[in-house]
Amino acid sequence: MSEKARTLFDALDLDRDGTLTRTEVINALRSKGPTLAARGVIPFWGVGTDDDSSALFDEADMNGDRVLSFEEFATLVNRRFGW
């Protein structure tokens, strides 16, 4: 998995428990998204609305357990962002 995916995952994992919840993804992208984009961690077009963040979560949650593992997250962002 890409190092960029790991950096982004770690930035979004607000409680540092090794998984992402929908709320974490939405809150982290809302608060950190512009800064992450400015640092090149995420493409500028990857920072969207809360609905966009929720849709990203739904697409990544392949097993439907309502949390994202790093592997689920990395699979999606590597494909979506072309990493």
Side-chain angles (χ1 to χ4, degrees), residues 1 9 13-14 16-17 40-41 45 48 52-53 61 70-71 73-74 82-83:
M1 299 293 168
F9 184 90
D13 187 10
L14 299 176
R16 303 282 184 231
D17 69 350
V41 175
W45 57 265
D52 296 331
S53 298
D61 188 16
F70 172 68
E71 291 75 18
F73 179 80
W83 294 337

Side-chain angles (χ1 to χ4, degrees), residues 10-76:
D10 290 345
L12 300 181
D13 187 10
L14 299 176
D15 64 6
R16 303 282 184 231
D17 69 350
T19 63
L20 300 176
T21 64
R22 179 185 309 277
T23 301
E24 271 182 310
V25 171
I26 291 170
N27 290 339
L29 285 174
R30 184 186 310 139
S31 65
K32 296 181 175 185
T35 302
L36 292 170
R39 289 184 19 223
V41 175
I42 187 173
F44 279 104
W45 57 265
V47 179
T49 66
D50 289 357
D51 288 340
D52 296 331
S53 298
S54 186
L56 180 136
F57 181 91
D58 288 339
E59 187 177 345
D61 188 16
M62 291 182 253
N63 64 3
D65 66 353
R66 298 184 184 159
V67 294
L68 300 182
S69 66
F70 172 68
E71 291 75 18
E72 286 175 312
F73 179 80
T75 297
L76 175 68

